[in-house]
Amino acid sequence: MTSSSDDDRAKQASRRKFLKTGGAAVAASASLGAGLAAPGVAQGATHRDKPFDPYSVVEPFYAPHQAGIVTPQQSHTYVAAFDLATNSRDDVIKLLRQWTQTAARLTQGQTAGPLEGSGDNQSAPDAGDVLGIGPAGLTITFGFGPGLFMAADKDRYGLAHRRPAALVDLPRFNGDQLVAEKTGGDLFIQACANDAQVAFHAVRELSRAAYGTVHMRWGQAGFVSGPRGQTPRNLMGFKDGTNNPPISDAAAMNQFVWAQAADAPWMEGGTYTVVRRIRITVEHWDQMERGFQEQVFGREKYSGAPIGKTREFDAVDLAAEDKDGNPLIPENSHVRLSNRDSNDGAQILRRSYSYNDGTNFYIERWPPWRQETEYDAGLIFIAHQADPRKGFIPINDRLAKFDMMNQFTTHVGSAIFACPPGAKPGSFIGAGLFDA
Amino acid sequence: MTSSSDDDRAKQASRRKFLKTGGAAVAASASLGAGLAAPGVAQGATHRDKPFDPYSVVEPFYAPHQAGIVTPQQSHTYVAAFDLATNSRDDVIKLLRQWTQTAARLTQGQTAGPLEGSGDNQSAPDAGDVLGIGPAGLTITFGFGPGLFMAADKDRYGLAHRRPAALVDLPRFNGDQLVAEKTGGDLFIQACANDAQVAFHAVRELSRAAYGTVHMRWGQAGFVSGPRGQTPRNLMGFKDGTNNPPISDAAAMNQFVWAQAADAPWMEGGTYTVVRRIRITVEHWDQMERGFQEQVFGREKYSGAPIGKTREFDAVDLAAEDKDGNPLIPENSHVRLSNRDSNDGAQILRRSYSYNDGTNFYIERWPPWRQETEYDAGLIFIAHQADPRKGFIPINDRLAKFDMMNQFTTHVGSAIFACPPGAKPGSFIGAGLFDA
């Protein structure tokens, strides 16, 4: 899913910088085919000087916005959703306080609890599986699902009247094949880090701290590959994220990502996050011709350029036609359908990860009664936006109906969360929601 | 699973080197607790000078031994097994030739097929999802399962008489809960790389090249975390691999890892590989006291030292007793049971990875009829050895019966393969098996 921001000066400046400094990278990957490796500027690639040590990065926790939203994208994530198993508002507040304190520790490279003085007669204060790795850029982002406000027609915590209108129940989209145990959730944690185990460890410790108050609903590991400084390729082999609104552009972030006060002042400076588990039929896709794949995306596979252009960050020209007057970027291509010019200017900030959960054995229970093992791999689509009613929902409604890519993708999980603004020291994430 | 090699000079030399150079690393991780981060020498950590660029590493493909066995362990793997769907010996040879050629390309940082000249009217010569990443230390290791020699009592390829006695059918071990679709396989591919997508890409391309000749049986992604130069911790939080025979010790490799000619001269210089998918009940484990966890392992959690010692690489002393005359390292601890002194001197080369496949929703169909979501996470145990009848089988037989760790682990997948020696240029992996 892409949206355009063609005249972005930050990207151009970064591109110029690359042209000056990127010669070595091009030479190093020349064996992959001339001209294929010209790295563009990935989200998150522009803020750090080399050499980059992925383990020593520390992201601040207490800040006006929660980290993990416009933070330069780390290489790994573990996202998880939980259902609340209490009817007590105080339990929820107590949990959020504890989560806030633990997250503040973990993101600064500390263990979940102090190791010193922990006796043998109590459970370990930390699983210990990331000791010695370093903070690894860990961010922990919390969100609230619809069930915090109303679950089974019950207002368990007296919060129903504070539910933002923007926290809608997502509609059913064309083609959705959602699995209940990969969908929804009252509470959300997104842990991102430059190390798979550091990301998982955060969710593991927070989940353990919540023992008895929540049940885990689903959890999912994800990754993006390759060196920083390139737009990562998804498992379909195409660069993913080229046309994101740039995180360095505060005005764009204010317009498209950060929630306004609106009907829920406690959400001001937060964001609304949609998570979709999108399985990709990798085996099927790999049988397709490259030219067809490019028609599906509306971009060239190797360079990432829009069809008809030559460079990844060249502007998408939806009006361009071939000599016969047909659109160069096909009507049902992903780039056209998701482009902001096709969506009343709407943009969302995608911060997606690939996932790769091994294989499933699959039986078709109707002719031809096929039995086969297939990859359980695809995209953990994560999008942040100021209002999903103007962002993900209309964009995905169009994609779900018309996108040629739908032949190769299945949405099997879905969730929406209100991610409140950052916590103040001494307070906790979402405190504004519970104010009298 | 561990085995001792206490007097190893290479490790000692490396430790001395660490003591001279490692101060910075200790300081950097001081916030994790004093003395916790003293990095030992992980397998694979001793051969490269810093700065280490994980993407530029190139491992040779054509060599006396296959790569990926005594190669310094890369950070990621994708392992997969396939069943042959042909009755033609020539088809098998043709497949192995093609796999060899493709693997030689991929490991050197090239695409599966040439991109140049590939027209739009043919399927893409390469999925393209790792273009620009670099070779990333990719190794591809092939193995042959029992089904290549005999399947359903049929000798499909006239190879039954060449099956090595060491390629046994693994016995059922105490506690095994093997799942058919995660177990076995006629052919095996282990792809390891310093990037998750590069490892997966290799299996994906090789699988595609085999379309029609094989069916995928199972596939599995794995990882080890943290910077090079430390023994990685598994998901139980303990260092894993401390007591491996050192890959730098050629004599030890010849003794314990590389197959002799024996009854199958075509396997000389190869190895026998056991793969086990071991689920860890992380949630349950995390509730345990640290002291108890250390009794289970027989090691201290933070330092990795054997109980009663202070440093990770201190020798395991099975005879040490406390003041009451009880063994310091418990009778049913993992370290004692797997130690070579408990196994007639047997050693195996473990080269395992953690896995993290999200969560499963789980229903107990008997009281208390529990329903819950649990992590599908654990260890892809991979062990290479000269003869599994002297290695994995007796060691695991003892562990399966007595290891206290069994309360927290379940073996759900299992496979054994004969990995032949490396290919000569112009020839193919396993050529010796097909010689008249």
Side-chain angles (χ1 to χ4, degrees):
Chain A
M1 186 177 280
T2 55
S3 51
S4 73
S5 65
D6 301 326
D7 301 323
D8 183 81
R9 281 180 299 171
K11 276 180 182 167
Q12 292 185 346
S14 298
R15 199 156 63 231
R16 281 193 298 273
K17 184 176 169 195
F18 161 71
L19 291 171
K20 283 188 210 163
T21 61
V26 173
S29 52
S31 65
L32 289 173
L36 299 179
V41 177
Q43 172 190 343
T46 61
H47 293 274
R48 303 184 190 290
D49 294 319
K50 296 188 176 187
F52 173 70
D53 173 9
Y55 302 108
S56 64
V57 180
V58 182
E59 297 289 350
F61 180 76
Y62 292 106
H65 303 298
Q66 285 197 76
I69 298 165
V70 301
T71 304
Q73 188 169 12
Q74 302 97 323
S75 62
H76 289 81
T77 196
Y78 197 94
V79 285
F82 302 83
D83 287 336
L84 282 156
T86 176
N87 289 317
S88 156
R89 178 180 170 117
D90 287 344
D91 281 353
V92 179
I93 293 172
K94 188 177 166 192
L95 172 65
L96 293 173
R97 278 194 188 281
Q98 180 165 11
W99 273 5
T100 300
Q101 290 162 15
T102 303
R105 286 182 59 92
L106 292 170
T107 56
Q108 305 309 298
Q110 299 175 299
T111 51
L115 298 185
E116 299 77 13
S118 65
D120 277 358
N121 56 352
Q122 59 189 82
S123 69
D126 187 284
D129 62 305
V130 299
L131 289 175
I133 292 183
L138 176 67
T139 57
I140 300 173
T141 316
F142 296 100
F144 301 151
L148 180 64
F149 303 89
M150 184 71 76
D153 291 327
K154 278 194 189 165
D155 181 7
R156 292 179 287 180
Y157 315 115
L159 297 173
H161 65 293
R162 309 203 73 175
R163 177 175 174 171
L167 184 65
V168 294
D169 292 307
L170 287 176
R172 186 188 180 281
F173 295 99
N174 188 46
D176 273 3
Q177 295 191 28
L178 303 185
V179 176
E181 60 262 33
K182 307 267 184 207
T183 295
D186 296 342
L187 299 174
F188 174 61
I189 300 175
Q190 173 196 268
C192 300
N194 294 320
D195 182 279
Q197 204 150 314
V198 169
F200 178 50
H201 176 257
V203 169
R204 177 177 172 175
E205 292 299 336
L206 294 166
S207 176
R208 183 162 69 116
Y211 185 80
T213 307
V214 303
H215 294 146
M216 192 171 215
R217 188 169 174 91
W218 53 262
Q220 179 67 55
F223 64 95
V224 291
S225 274
R228 291 170 79 93
Q230 304 181 15
T231 308
R233 292 181 185 270
N234 60 29
L235 293 181
M236 299 178 104
F238 281 77
K239 297 187 178 190
D240 197 339
T242 301
N243 252 347
N244 252 336
I247 57 174
S248 57
D249 181 344
M253 296 300 99
N254 282 331
Q255 182 180 358
F256 296 115
V257 177
W258 300 125
Q260 308 299 315
D263 61 336
W266 63 271
M267 269 296 291
E268 187 171 9
T271 194
Y272 294 91
T273 300
V274 172
V275 182
R276 306 277 285 185
R277 189 183 201 265
I278 306 175
R279 203 175 76 77
I280 300 171
T281 54
V282 166
E283 303 90 332
H284 184 35
W285 177 250
D286 282 350
Q287 300 296 332
M288 299 297 113
E289 303 165 11
R290 175 170 59 85
F292 171 74
Q293 293 181 348
E294 293 176 339
Q295 296 284 306
V296 168
F297 267 84
R299 285 187 179 273
E300 293 188 1
K301 189 167 194 177
Y302 300 152
S303 68
I307 292 179
K309 301 292 179 71
T310 56
R311 291 168 194 274
E312 178 187 354
F313 289 101
D314 286 345
V316 175
D317 180 1
L318 297 180
E321 296 180 344
D322 66 14
K323 61 181 168 51
D324 300 322
N326 297 313
L328 269 182
I329 296 179
E331 295 291 353
N332 291 350
S333 66
H334 188 73
V335 156
R336 177 181 292 274
L337 292 168
S338 61
N339 190 275
R340 65 176 174 183
D341 292 339
S342 306
N343 290 283
D344 297 326
Q347 290 197 69
I348 56 181
L349 180 65
R350 290 161 294 130
R351 203 171 181 283
S352 301
Y353 288 88
S354 293
Y355 77 90
N356 198 354
D357 284 2
T359 52
N360 286 326
F361 183 67
Y362 172 78
I363 300 177
E364 277 182 359
R365 298 186 187 281
W366 50 86
W369 295 288
R370 218 165 23 139
Q371 299 191 7
E372 61 184 24
T373 296
E374 55 183 20
Y375 299 121
D376 187 2
L379 191 73
I380 303 298
F381 173 88
I382 301 174
H384 305 294
Q385 60 225 285
D387 189 338
R389 296 170 298 179
K390 300 175 186 168
F392 175 77
I393 293 173
I395 295 171
N396 195 54
D397 183 67
R398 178 170 285 104
L399 288 170
K401 286 175 180 156
F402 303 117
D403 190 354
M404 282 194 286
M405 194 185 293
N406 296 337
Q407 302 169 70
F408 306 96
T409 57
T410 310
H411 292 232
V412 294
S414 177
I416 184 169
F417 303 102
C419 297
K424 294 184 176 65
S427 183
F428 62 96
I429 293 284
L433 170 61
F434 295 91
D435 288 347
Chain B
M1 187 177 281
T2 54
S3 50
S4 74
S5 63
D6 301 332
D7 301 325
D8 183 80
R9 280 180 298 171
K11 277 181 181 166
Q12 292 186 345
S14 300
R15 198 156 64 229
R16 281 194 298 272
K17 184 177 168 193
F18 161 72
L19 291 171
K20 283 188 208 161
T21 63
V26 172
S29 53
S31 65
L32 290 173
L36 299 179
V41 177
Q43 173 189 343
T46 61
H47 293 275
R48 303 181 192 290
D49 294 318
K50 294 189 174 184
F52 173 69
D53 172 10
Y55 302 109
S56 65
V57 180
V58 182
E59 297 289 351
F61 180 77
Y62 292 106
H65 303 299
Q66 286 196 75
I69 298 164
V70 300
T71 305
Q73 188 169 10
Q74 303 97 322
S75 62
H76 289 80
T77 196
Y78 197 94
V79 285
F82 302 83
D83 287 336
L84 282 156
T86 177
N87 289 316
S88 157
R89 178 180 170 117
D90 286 346
D91 281 354
V92 178
I93 293 173
K94 188 178 165 191
L95 172 65
L96 292 174
R97 279 194 188 280
Q98 180 165 9
W99 273 5
T100 300
Q101 289 162 15
T102 303
R105 286 182 59 93
L106 291 170
T107 56
Q108 305 308 298
Q110 300 175 299
T111 51
L115 298 185
E116 298 77 13
S118 65
D120 278 358
N121 55 353
Q122 58 189 82
S123 69
D126 186 285
D129 62 305
V130 299
L131 288 175
I133 293 184
L138 176 67
T139 57
I140 299 173
T141 316
F142 297 99
F144 302 150
L148 179 64
F149 302 90
M150 184 71 76
D153 290 328
K154 278 193 189 167
D155 181 6
R156 293 179 286 179
Y157 316 115
L159 297 172
H161 66 293
R162 310 203 73 178
R163 177 174 174 172
L167 184 65
V168 294
D169 294 306
L170 288 176
R172 185 189 180 283
F173 295 99
N174 188 45
D176 273 3
Q177 296 191 28
L178 303 185
V179 176
E181 60 262 34
K182 307 266 183 209
T183 295
D186 297 342
L187 299 175
F188 173 61
I189 300 175
Q190 172 195 271
C192 300
N194 294 320
D195 182 279
Q197 204 149 315
V198 169
F200 179 50
H201 176 257
V203 169
R204 178 176 172 175
E205 293 298 336
L206 294 167
S207 176
R208 184 162 67 116
Y211 186 80
T213 306
V214 303
H215 294 145
M216 192 171 216
R217 189 170 174 91
W218 53 263
Q220 180 67 55
F223 64 95
V224 290
S225 275
R228 291 170 79 93
Q230 304 182 15
T231 307
R233 292 180 186 270
N234 61 27
L235 293 180
M236 299 178 104
F238 282 76
K239 297 187 178 191
D240 197 339
T242 301
N243 252 346
N244 252 335
I247 56 174
S248 57
D249 181 343
M253 297 299 100
N254 282 330
Q255 183 179 357
F256 296 115
V257 177
W258 300 125
Q260 307 299 314
D263 60 335
W266 64 270
M267 270 297 290
E268 187 172 7
T271 194
Y272 295 90
T273 300
V274 172
V275 182
R276 306 279 285 186
R277 188 183 202 265
I278 306 176
R279 203 175 77 76
I280 300 171
T281 54
V282 167
E283 303 91 332
H284 184 35
W285 177 251
D286 282 352
Q287 300 295 332
M288 298 299 113
E289 303 165 11
R290 175 169 58 84
F292 171 74
Q293 293 181 348
E294 293 176 340
Q295 296 284 306
V296 168
F297 268 84
R299 284 186 180 273
E300 293 189 0
K301 189 167 194 177
Y302 301 152
S303 67
I307 292 179
K309 301 292 179 71
T310 55
R311 293 168 193 274
E312 178 187 356
F313 290 101
D314 285 346
V316 174
D317 180 1
L318 297 180
E321 296 181 343
D322 66 14
K323 59 181 169 52
D324 300 322
N326 297 313
L328 270 181
I329 296 179
E331 295 291 353
N332 291 350
S333 66
H334 189 72
V335 155
R336 176 181 293 273
L337 293 168
S338 60
N339 191 275
R340 65 176 173 182
D341 292 338
S342 306
N343 290 283
D344 296 326
Q347 290 197 69
I348 55 181
L349 180 65
R350 290 161 294 129
R351 203 171 182 283
S352 302
Y353 289 88
S354 293
Y355 78 90
N356 198 353
D357 285 1
T359 52
N360 286 326
F361 183 68
Y362 171 77
I363 301 177
E364 275 182 1
R365 297 186 188 282
W366 51 85
W369 296 289
R370 218 164 23 139
Q371 299 190 9
E372 61 184 23
T373 296
E374 56 183 19
Y375 299 121
D376 188 1
L379 190 72
I380 303 298
F381 172 88
I382 301 175
H384 306 294
Q385 59 226 284
D387 188 338
R389 295 169 299 179
K390 299 176 186 166
F392 175 78
I393 293 174
I395 296 172
N396 195 55
D397 182 67
R398 178 170 286 105
L399 289 170
K401 286 174 180 156
F402 303 117
D403 190 354
M404 281 195 287
M405 193 186 292
N406 296 336
Q407 302 170 70
F408 306 96
T409 57
T410 310
H411 291 233
V412 293
S414 177
I416 184 170
F417 303 101
C419 297
K424 293 184 175 68
S427 185
F428 62 95
I429 294 284
L433 171 59
F434 296 90
D435 288 348

